[in-house]
Amino acid sequence: QVQLVESGGGVVQPGGSLRLSCAASGFTFNIYAMHWVRQAPGKGLEWVAFLRYDATKDSYADSLKGRFTISRDNSKNTLHLQMNSLRTEDTAIYYCVKSGGSYGADAFATWGQGTLVTVSA
Amino acid sequence: EIVLTQSPATLSLSPGDRAMFSCGASQTIAGNNLAWYQQKPGLAPRLLIYDASFTAPGIPDRFRGSGSGTDFTLTITRLEPEDFAVYYCQQYGILYSFGQGTKLEIK
């Protein structure tokens, strides 16, 4: 069955960096677009970033202002999110999400269990 | 950016009732690229409906999506105890955005 397992979360000081990873299994990873979505404690869902199946196109939420970078390694069935210049408002559960298709114009079909990132001094 | 507004914020109903959730968009959603998700406490969201009216695999047929353009509705025809959760709409027509959610609670 489709599985997405996030890792790399933890506690980081404001201004610091963190790299999240998502190990995918149970499907042909290299033909699906992928996303990161986050959820601050007690709040709603916020889309963070998108990457096409072949990594030739990415998109980001305006609120991130160039601090985050999404990438993928199709040879290792892995998705990453590099987060720099972290702020307290970046504190959230980060979900790895499989798109329903290759190019991004699809619903978010499958979600990982999430990894918690806490930005605090 | 397409802004999605969900109503009501909270819905208080009993098992066996019919539930209706509304989602309004700030502009027309091309291709009816609108989805609904269910989220239970401590768990990741689960896809219920895609393309406004198509039920995702494994989702019971009591979940129904409808609407087009800027106005969309999720209907649960007869509530089961496991349906009490938070429901989000999402558009994927122009980038991606979520509504703020509707909490379905037991009356």
Side-chain angles (χ1 to χ4, degrees), chain B residues 20-42:
Chain B
M20 296 183 71
F21 307 82
S22 293
C23 178
S26 59
Q27 62 187 88
T28 295
I29 297 177
N32 286 337
N33 287 347
L34 191 287
W36 291 93
Y37 301 85
Q38 176 194 67
Q39 187 178 31
K40 297 181 180 180

Side-chain angles (χ1 to χ4, degrees), chain A residues 35 37 45-48 50 61-62 99 104-108 111, chain B residues 1-6 23-37 47 49-52 69-72 88-100:
Chain A
H35 300 266
V37 174
L45 302 170
E46 179 185 19
W47 169 74
V48 171
F50 150 81
D62 288 343
S99 176
D106 302 277
F108 292 10
W111 299 60
Chain B
E1 178 191 356
I2 297 180
V3 176
L4 299 179
T5 303
Q6 291 187 240
C23 178
S26 59
Q27 62 187 88
T28 295
I29 297 177
N32 286 337
N33 287 347
L34 191 287
W36 291 93
Y37 301 85
L47 176 65
I49 302 290
Y50 64 96
D51 292 352
T70 61
D71 294 300
F72 299 87
Y88 295 94
C89 62
Q90 179 223 14
Q91 67 81 22
Y92 44 97
I94 299 176
L95 287 183
Y96 313 91
S97 54
F98 290 91
Q100 80 278 20

